[in-house]
Amino acid sequence: NMNYIYNNFNKPYFWAFLISTSALIFALYLEYIASLKPCHLCILQRYAYGITLILSLLAFIYKFKKIISFLICISMLVTLMIAFWHLGIEFQWWLPSSSCSNWDTNIGSLTEELNNNLLESRSSNCDILSPKFLGITLVQWSFIYIIATTFFITILTYKMLKKKNYG
């Protein structure tokens, strides 16, 4: 129903749903169609996008839209932090942990890539330059995407929180 879409067009949870769904579909496309193995941090970003997706779905169902939209912002900020950490590893601003590279010693943090033992099977290495598209690596594209969308969702949420009697 176009009226339903129109009524939700300015809602942060509507856009968060589209943003997280798009990111997850693209990640799955890269893995299963383009045969690019994700690294540990890429998988952590998928989990964070999954949380954003679940929160956005909850906002469509439940009444507490302001609170859920605020939680969506926090979830997207966590995704942004993971993307920034990944970008820093790619630019060699800091070293990855041993689960994220071929190194034998543990040398990184971000709380050890958010407790890297969550994932037993290692795929690609985080410290290897990701493929480029239009001269920009996929890690860089991921960071650009999440910083732009987090900014957008935060602005929509701020506008919603300022409104009184928002349903």
Side-chain angles (χ1 to χ4, degrees), residues 46-89:
R46 289 182 192 186
Y47 289 144
Y49 276 119
I51 291 168
T52 301
L53 178 62
I54 290 168
L55 287 169
S56 64
L57 289 172
L58 290 174
F60 283 108
I61 298 168
Y62 295 107
K63 237 181 169 180
F64 309 105
K65 299 188 185 316
K66 287 183 176 183
I67 294 169
I68 294 172
S69 294
F70 181 74
L71 292 174
I72 287 170
C73 285
I74 292 171
S75 173
M76 292 186 75
L77 282 171
V78 168
T79 311
L80 177 61
M81 290 185 333
I82 296 167
F84 182 71
W85 184 256
H86 199 180
L87 186 71
I89 290 171

Side-chain angles (χ1 to χ4, degrees), residues 10-27:
N10 66 339
K11 312 280 194 313
Y13 51 88
F14 172 79
W15 287 102
F17 173 80
L18 294 178
I19 289 164
S20 56
T21 301
S22 299
L24 289 169
I25 289 171
F26 187 66

Side-chain angles (χ1 to χ4, degrees), residues 86-97:
H86 199 180
L87 186 71
I89 290 171
E90 188 172 86
F91 280 139
Q92 298 177 353
W93 294 337
W94 42 76
L95 297 173
S97 72

Side-chain angles (χ1 to χ4, degrees), residues 9 14 19 23 26 36-37 40 48 54 66-67 69 87 93 96 103 109 117 121 128 131 133 135 137 147 156 161:
F9 196 72
F14 172 79
I19 289 164
F26 187 66
L36 292 174
K37 288 281 185 207
H40 180 70
I54 290 168
K66 287 183 176 183
I67 294 169
S69 294
L87 186 71
W93 294 337
W103 293 66
S109 196
N117 54 358
S121 64
I128 295 175
F133 176 72
T137 68
I147 201 165
L156 288 178
L161 293 174

Side-chain angles (χ1 to χ4, degrees), residues 12 66 69-70 73 153-162:
K66 287 183 176 183
S69 294
F70 181 74
C73 285
I153 295 297
T154 303
I155 288 172
L156 288 178
T157 301
Y158 176 75
K159 286 181 178 181
M160 180 184 3
L161 293 174
K162 278 182 47 176

